[in-house]
C-alpha cells in the first residue's frame, strides 16, 4: 500500500467525514470522534482494494454511512440534529430569528421521507457535491439536484408560520 497516497486521501476527506458523522450523531463529539476513527481504520484496512477510478468521496462516504447506520442500529436510537444545523441549512440566523420556535430539527426532519433526510444531510450538512451524491446513490447528478431542491422546499415550508 502507498502510505503517502492514503495520507493524502485521509487529509482530503477527514473534515467532511467528521462533519457528516458529527451531525448524524446529534453533535456528539465523543461518538463522532470514535466513529470517524473506526471509519478511517476500515478505509486503511481496505485501501488496497480502493479503485481510484471511483470517486474517493463516494467510497469513504459509503464506509461512513454504513458505520453511522450500524451505530444507530446498535444503540437503537435515532439521529438527533439540533437547530444550529438546520438554521445553517435554511439560511443562517435569518431563519432562526424569524422561526426560532419552529426549528426543532428532529421534528422537521421526521416529516421528510428517509430519502429526503439523506439528501438534505448529504448536501447541506456534509457538504457533498451533487455529482458525488449521485455516485453514492446510483442516480444522475441532475436527478439528485432536483430531489434535493424539492426536499429543501418541503423543509423550508415546514418552517414558515401557518396562516391561520
Amino acid at each position: 500500500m502507498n502510505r503517502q497516497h492514503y495520507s493524502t486521501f485521509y487529509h482530503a476527506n477527514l473534515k467532511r467525514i467528521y462533519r457528516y458523522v458529527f451531525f448524524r450523531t446529534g453533535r456528539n463529539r465523543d461518538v463522532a470522534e470514535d466513529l470517524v476513527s473506526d471509519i478511517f481504520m476500515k478505509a486503511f484496512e481496505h485501501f488496497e482494494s480502493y479503485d481510484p477510478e471511483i470517486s474517493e468521496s463516494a467510497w469513504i462516504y459509503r464506509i461512513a454511512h454504513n458505520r453511522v447506520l450500524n451505530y444507530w442500529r446498535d444503540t437503537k436510537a435515532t439521529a438527533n440534529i439540533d437547530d444550529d444545523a438546520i438554521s445553517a441549512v435554511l439560511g443562517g440566523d435569518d431563519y432562526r430569528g424569524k422561526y426560532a420556535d419552529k426549528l426543532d430539527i428532529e421534528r422537521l426532519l421526521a416529516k421528510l421521507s428517509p430519502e429526503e433526510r439523506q439528501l438534505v444531510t448529504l448536501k447541506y450538512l456534509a457538504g457533498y457535491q451533487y455529482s458525488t451524491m449521485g455516485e453514492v446513490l446510483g442516480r444522475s447528478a441532475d436527478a439528485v439536484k432536483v430531489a434535493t431542491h424539492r426536499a429543501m422546499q418541503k423543509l423550508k415550508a415546514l418552517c414558515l408560520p401557518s396562516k391561520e
Side-chain angles (χ1 to χ4, degrees):
M1 174 194 342
N2 182 336
R3 290 186 186 271
Q4 181 60 37
H5 187 219
Y6 179 79
S7 178
T8 302
F9 169 83
Y10 173 83
H11 291 292
N13 290 285
L14 178 61
K15 286 182 182 178
R16 188 180 339 194
I17 294 299
Y18 179 82
R19 186 172 53 239
Y20 170 76
V21 173
F22 181 70
F23 284 114
R24 295 295 292 172
T25 58
R27 298 173 54 114
N28 184 324
R29 185 179 308 242
D30 293 333
V31 170
E33 288 174 0
D34 288 345
L35 294 179
V36 169
S37 177
D38 291 348
I39 290 161
F40 281 98
M41 284 301 296
K42 184 166 185 120
F44 180 78
E45 291 168 4
H46 298 283
F47 201 66
E48 292 173 359
S49 64
Y50 165 70
D51 182 359
E53 297 296 318
I54 298 173
S55 166
E56 287 181 359
S57 295
W59 184 72
I60 191 67
Y61 166 76
R62 279 190 195 131
I63 295 171
H65 179 72
N66 290 336
R67 182 62 187 100
V68 169
L69 289 178
N70 289 342
Y71 167 77
W72 288 120
R73 183 197 65 221
D74 295 346
T75 60
K76 297 187 192 278
T78 58
N80 174 24
I81 303 173
D82 69 17
D83 66 321
D84 287 334
I86 197 62
S87 77
V89 169
L90 296 175
D93 292 334
D94 185 42
Y95 271 92
R96 172 174 294 227
K98 291 179 185 175
Y99 314 117
D101 61 327
K102 303 277 187 183
L103 290 178
D104 178 354
I105 184 62
E106 290 182 66
R107 182 177 48 80
L108 291 173
L109 288 180
K111 293 182 180 184
L112 298 177
S113 72
E115 179 187 359
E116 290 167 332
R117 281 193 301 273
Q118 182 179 37
L119 292 168
V120 170
T121 300
L122 286 174
K123 180 63 181 168
Y124 295 100
L125 300 179
Y128 282 95
Q129 299 295 319
Y130 292 116
S131 58
T132 302
M133 292 169 61
E135 290 176 29
V136 169
L137 300 172
R139 298 169 65 185
S140 73
D142 288 338
V144 169
K145 184 176 181 177
V146 169
T148 303
H149 175 75
R150 289 180 181 154
M152 284 305 299
Q153 291 303 104
K154 184 175 177 181
L155 190 58
K156 287 178 182 180
L158 294 170
C159 294
L160 297 175
S162 60
K163 297 180 181 180
E164 298 176 13

